[in-house]
Amino acid sequence: MSISRRKFLGWLGAAGMGTALGKTARAASNKNFSGYPDSNGVLFDSTRCIGCRKCEEGCNKVNELPEPDQAFSDLSVLENARRTTSKAYTIVNRYDAAGDNKGPLYRKVQCNHCLEPACASVCFVKAFSKTESGAVTYDETVCVGCRYCMIACPFEIPAYEYDSAFSPRVRKCTMCHPRIVKGLLPGCVAACPTEALTYGKREDLLRIGRERIRKFPERYVNHIYGENEMGGTSWLYLSAIPFKDIGMREDLGTTPAPKLTSGALSVVPMVAGLWPVLLGGVYAINKRREKIEKQEKEQAVSEALEKAQADAKAEMAKAMKFAEQQKEKAIEKAVSQALEEAAKAAEEDASEPEAEDTDKKSSEEDS
Amino acid sequence: MSDESTTAGKSYLTPFNIIAGIIVIIGLFITFLRFTKGLGAVTNLSDYNPWGIWISFDLLVGVALAAGGFVTSAAVYIFGMKKYHSAVRPAILTGFLGYAMVVVALNYDVGRPWRLPYPFIVQRGTTSLLFEVAACVALYLTVLFLEFSPAALEWLGLKKLRNIIIKLTLLLTIFGVVLSTLHQSSLGALFLIAPSKLHPLWYSPYIAVYFFVSAVIAGLSMVIFESTLSHRYFADKMDETHLKEKNDIALGFGKAASLVLAGYFIIKVIGISEGNNWHLLGTGYGLWYLVELLGFVALPCFFYAIGAREKNLKIIKWTAAWTVLGIVVNRLNVGLIAFNWHLPASERYFPSWMEIGISVFLVTILLIVFRFIVTHMPIMYAHKDYPDTH
């Protein structure tokens, strides 16, 4: 495969453009969203939770979910770690803290209602929305069921109705959005007997959380989980032991989910805009190269042809000349021969001249 | 080069037909279960593992291996490598059928397939990379259909329409490259949203570039791989030009694949460096990563180079098959093996036999359609009415 200089430059241009585009991809936006003002949330205090599963029951009731496999009064389910499912929007897990006397701790799991939700950012049909009340809601009338929301959720919350053939839905806590717009408390908060759950404005909840940590520094880890995790969540957590010990990931960072993909998305219009120009250019370069190649070839051919013709002409002329000379020589020879013969004949037999014969012979030779 | 005479009179009970028939029957049975009982009845998908092999294999691998269409048409029509012209039609056909299979597979995977047009006609979720993938795949399938259609139109004898579409070749090629660049890379970028779930060795800010570059490798290798298989089974369908150019194509594409693999290897190493993930190479996942990087990137890069240098077609062909396998390994790593690596073994996913069954079923259908088309339409030979254009 031979590469011409022109082709090489074409490729080099293509490679260079690719590099330039790579840089645009990394440009991040400087927009920052810190939640709707006055939006609501819930503060969960793990030091107050007794693992009674009343919140699970309350959730089940207000959301009209199917009967659980084991009754809510059966606390033996706490033996195993569970997660949210399409039949349970919230569950409580028990964590036996090792090494200190803080006893078993419980954590309630449900949707954290991110300020900038991953599920909403990845949904290609906009089935999720972050409402101004704080709740992240789901519209089952448009959901296609691609389940990208479940891939994206860093808290592993959304669950799917895999057993439904005709109307499977993504299921997750809605912060009881239909209830809070009516001025009611979320089902779990209303059912909690120990005030481990506090519903209110997120700003107020942060203040309450900080106040509790300030008042009882020995009781709490000095951190409100959800204040900044994944850009902040509407559900906030206080804990007596490090959050990773109650099953919460501490490695999620504070980058809001949409920022993770904004760079890749920003490249799209650049590729769409520049690729045709670049590819069209490469095509034009190659086309031109071909054209020039063709012209050069044609020119070379015609030149060669001309030269050949001239050569042939010269050759021909030479040959003609030679032939002429030969002819003249032959005539001379014939004439002299004839003359000689005539002289001889005249000499040999002067009485009987044979002029007729001599004439005939010379005319034959002439033609 | 009509084939009617070659199959007529022969028994249809060839080994291929028998096996394909059995697979199709089983596939139809699972299809029936899937659409009457739901995903839960046939898959091992769970709330932790919402994407199984129908995404990792059928979508991610399928789209990557169908990249030969855009790679070949770009090489021939844009970069002016006309000596590879006879590779265009088989590559376009493979691409078209590959994408068609992907779209069919998605109908199995999504919960409510009849709503697949919703993202375009009801609400456009433009902040989603999946929206971009969906839009590009839909458009590119159309482009591939148009690029493929001249072969079908020649077969049907619709000259006028065929000539109109031939005039669009350059436009379609450019459009195809733009769309392929976008969605091949976006398939990787889908995972950018989940840094907490994908193992750091595979999660990279460059993952979109990795997916695009490896798709080019997949495309080049698939052209060689497909041509090897075609020559074995459909040699009688190939005309002189095709047979003459075949070896040149394998050598040229092998050389190109070697170069692209070298670049891919370099940017993968840069990726490890960027994330400062060197220490992870010593872990179990790290060793598996090294198998992928050294065994399926560096090794084929080397063997392609040897094959191209020594003009050894045997090496080139085996390397192509190995590289294709490497792409499968990479996509399965990102989609399944290194995804959810933080979960305990009990929560990890392994496909059910029925999920595998559907994937095998779809590939079988693809092969059957491919066979039908290459035995009936001018794919590996120029149609006698259009000798120069193909």
Side-chain angles (χ1 to χ4, degrees), chain A residues 45-241:
Chain A
D45 188 335
S46 75
T47 67
R48 297 184 180 193
C49 180
I50 56 170
C52 64
R53 300 186 69 207
K54 287 276 188 258
C55 52
E56 289 185 34
E57 191 176 10
C59 173
N60 178 282
K61 210 173 283 170
V62 302
N63 288 300
E64 291 164 4
L65 297 174
E67 281 288 302
D69 298 336
Q70 278 167 292
F72 289 112
S73 55
D74 181 359
L75 297 184
S76 68
V77 297
L78 295 171
E79 299 297 323
N80 300 309
R82 293 177 298 155
R83 62 154 287 156
T84 53
T85 67
S86 59
K87 292 169 186 151
Y89 300 168
T90 187
I91 51 99
V92 174
N93 275 336
R94 187 177 74 200
Y95 300 90
D96 296 306
D100 55 32
N101 53 3
K102 285 181 173 163
L105 283 157
Y106 302 90
R107 178 178 60 109
K108 180 178 177 300
V109 183
Q110 75 299 305
C111 173
N112 285 328
H113 300 275
C114 302
L115 300 183
E116 294 179 69
C119 55
S121 113
V122 301
C123 182
F124 70 161
V125 66
K126 284 204 257 185
F128 290 95
S129 7
K130 176 74 177 174
T131 62
E132 292 191 20
S133 71
V136 176
T137 58
Y138 164 76
D139 179 2
E140 64 179 68
T141 65
V142 295
C143 177
V144 180
C146 72
R147 307 186 297 284
Y148 192 18
C149 50
M150 298 163 70
I151 291 284
C153 178
F155 303 108
E156 298 169 326
I157 296 303
Y160 200 64
E161 293 179 324
Y162 288 107
D163 291 326
S164 167
F166 303 108
S167 55
R169 296 167 297 178
V170 170
R171 304 279 72 196
K172 74 167 197 73
C173 157
T174 62
M175 209 195 263
C176 285
H177 188 252
R179 281 169 64 85
I180 56 181
V181 294
K182 279 191 245 164
L184 296 166
L185 283 174
C188 56
V189 178
C192 182
T194 63
E195 289 186 27
L197 293 167
T198 314
Y199 174 82
K201 289 197 173 21
R202 185 171 183 269
E203 288 302 310
D204 296 340
L205 297 176
L206 282 170
R207 209 172 301 126
I208 293 168
R210 287 194 202 103
E211 189 65 14
R212 285 190 199 164
I213 293 171
R214 191 186 64 78
K215 270 192 188 156
F216 308 103
E218 73 292 344
R219 194 194 285 176
Y220 295 104
V221 171
N222 186 15
H223 182 71
I224 302 174
Y225 194 101
E227 183 174 5
N228 296 312
E229 274 74 10
M230 294 303 294
T233 59
S234 293
W235 216 282
L236 302 164
Y237 300 80
L238 288 174
S239 175
I241 57 172

Side-chain angles (χ1 to χ4, degrees), chain B residues 11 23 33 68 116:
Chain B
S11 165
I23 293 172
L33 271 186
L116 275 170

Side-chain angles (χ1 to χ4, degrees), chain A residues 1-2 7 10-11 14 26 81-86 118 120-127 138-156 158-169 230 249 251-252 257-258 260-261 264-265 267-269 271-272 275-276 278-280 282-284 286-287 289-290, chain B residues 34-41 43 45-52 55 77-84 109-116 118-120 122-132 134 170 173-174 177-178 181-182 186 189-197 203 205-206 208 212 252 255-256 274 339-340 342-343 347:
Chain A
M1 184 168 74
S2 65
K7 193 178 269 184
W11 289 354
R26 308 191 71 192
R82 293 177 298 155
R83 62 154 287 156
T84 53
T85 67
S86 59
S121 113
V122 301
C123 182
F124 70 161
V125 66
K126 284 204 257 185
Y138 164 76
D139 179 2
E140 64 179 68
T141 65
V142 295
C143 177
V144 180
C146 72
R147 307 186 297 284
Y148 192 18
C149 50
M150 298 163 70
I151 291 284
C153 178
F155 303 108
E156 298 169 326
Y160 200 64
E161 293 179 324
Y162 288 107
D163 291 326
S164 167
F166 303 108
S167 55
R169 296 167 297 178
M230 294 303 294
R249 294 190 66 163
D251 59 349
L252 297 180
L260 295 167
T261 54
L265 283 167
V267 186
V268 174
V271 170
W275 241 226
L278 173 71
L279 297 170
V282 171
Y283 171 78
N286 279 313
K287 191 92 180 161
R289 181 179 54 82
E290 272 169 25
Chain B
R34 155 65 188 94
F35 289 107
T36 53
K37 306 270 178 206
L39 284 164
T43 70
L45 297 175
S46 67
D47 292 334
Y48 277 123
N49 302 290
W51 286 357
I55 295 293
Y77 296 126
I78 296 175
F79 289 91
M81 304 178 192
K82 297 216 166 105
K83 60 176 175 168
Y84 302 141
D109 187 75
V110 303
R112 305 196 204 197
W114 51 92
R115 286 183 176 177
L116 275 170
Y118 275 27
F120 309 113
V122 179
Q123 287 187 124
R124 280 156 296 276
T126 48
T127 57
S128 174
L129 280 154
L130 194 60
F131 179 83
E132 195 209 322
L170 179 65
T173 305
I174 290 182
V177 176
V178 171
T181 310
L182 291 177
S186 293
L190 285 181
F191 293 90
L192 281 175
I193 198 75
S196 57
K197 294 181 183 176
Y203 184 93
Y206 307 130
F212 175 66
K255 194 188 219 177
E274 190 272 346
F339 192 81
N340 272 340
H342 62 291
L343 290 179
E347 300 293 353

Side-chain angles (χ1 to χ4, degrees), chain A residues 20-31:
Chain A
L21 280 170
K23 276 179 194 152
T24 17
R26 308 191 71 192
S29 117
N30 61 351
K31 280 183 195 137

Side-chain angles (χ1 to χ4, degrees), chain B residues 10 116 124 129 131 159 203 215 256 267 309 314 322 325 353 384 388:
Chain B
K10 267 194 204 166
L116 275 170
R124 280 156 296 276
L129 280 154
F131 179 83
K159 270 189 186 175
Y203 184 93
I267 59 173
R309 196 188 126 91
K314 207 170 179 185
W322 185 250
L325 181 66
W353 73 266
K384 59 181 188 309
D388 303 328

